[in-house]
Amino acid sequence: GAVVSQHPSWVICKSGTSVKIECRSLDFQATTMFWYRQFPKQSLMLMATSNEGSKATYEQGVEKDKFLINHASLTLSTLTVTSAHPEDSSFYICSASRPGSNTGELFFGEGSRLTVL
Amino acid sequence: KQEVTQIPAALSVPEGENLVLNCSFTDSAIYNLQWFRQDPGKGLTSLLLIQSSQREQTSGRLNASLDKSSGRSTLYIAASQPGDSATYLCARDRGSTLGRLYFGRGTQLTVWP
């Protein structure tokens, strides 16, 4: 199956700092990637759709100025949590689908656990 | 709001049992439905994807069915094993953009030897 890699796996930061999470598709080029967030005991919630070479599309209620998404290449999307606060502590997961796939099958990264002190 | 509900929230069974995990969703106008497995602290592994034109998919000991009219999907796990212990997530599409999904909260499965 396709491989999607995330880095870092976990990160701890101080309140007010910014944190960048990378999502890479290792064996295919992904024109579109998706960023999800998962709070403990909650379902995964879609944050935004990352489009290569264009602006990300954010879901309702997600602050685009706080969660900066950059998809500068066909294999890399980054999510930057700016001025992080404890309530941003969560599990962030990215996903991608193979180009040309008409089924919508998604391949997920291993996730990045963010803890803001 | 397109909600996805999974029942039961948790399930603990002895090895060898056949299992049924349930997923229900609002709005029958879906494109596809997917079942995922999530191990603790890990990402998701896709198990089965059912397109709207299909009624079921099978992979090994797993079988997933889709009934759009009733807004339900069922994941059957045959002859469960301890290695099946994980959280099973059901997700439906959010519309025509493939990859944008609504997830349920999952069923946490424990299979003990």
Side-chain angles (χ1 to χ4, degrees), chain A residues 16-56:
Chain A
T17 60
S18 295
V19 175
K20 180 185 285 187
I21 301 170
E22 295 185 345
C23 177
R24 295 180 183 273
S25 57
L26 299 184
D27 58 354
F28 64 97
Q29 295 181 329
T31 54
T32 304
M33 292 183 175
F34 305 89
W35 286 95
Y36 288 82
R37 177 169 56 182
Q38 185 180 35
F39 292 107
K41 303 297 184 182
Q42 301 295 314
S43 60
L44 275 78
M45 296 294 294
L46 179 64
M47 299 175 66
T49 301
S50 173
N51 304 298
E52 188 270 336
S54 64
K55 293 182 179 180

Side-chain angles (χ1 to χ4, degrees), chain A residues 82-113:
Chain A
T82 63
S83 187
H85 291 284
E87 58 265 31
D88 298 322
S89 298
S90 186
F91 193 54
Y92 294 86
I93 310 177
C94 70
S95 66
S97 58
R98 281 189 181 277
S101 169
N102 64 352
T103 65
E105 184 179 12
L106 285 180
F107 300 95
F108 281 79
E110 289 288 309
S112 299
R113 185 165 299 284

Side-chain angles (χ1 to χ4, degrees), chain B residues 44-65:
Chain B
L44 278 64
T45 300
S46 178
L47 298 174
L48 292 165
L49 182 151
I50 310 175
Q51 294 180 270
S52 61
S53 59
Q54 301 170 327
R55 293 187 64 84
E56 66 177 338
Q57 285 287 328
T58 299
S59 175
R61 295 182 292 108
L62 305 179
N63 174 276
S65 64

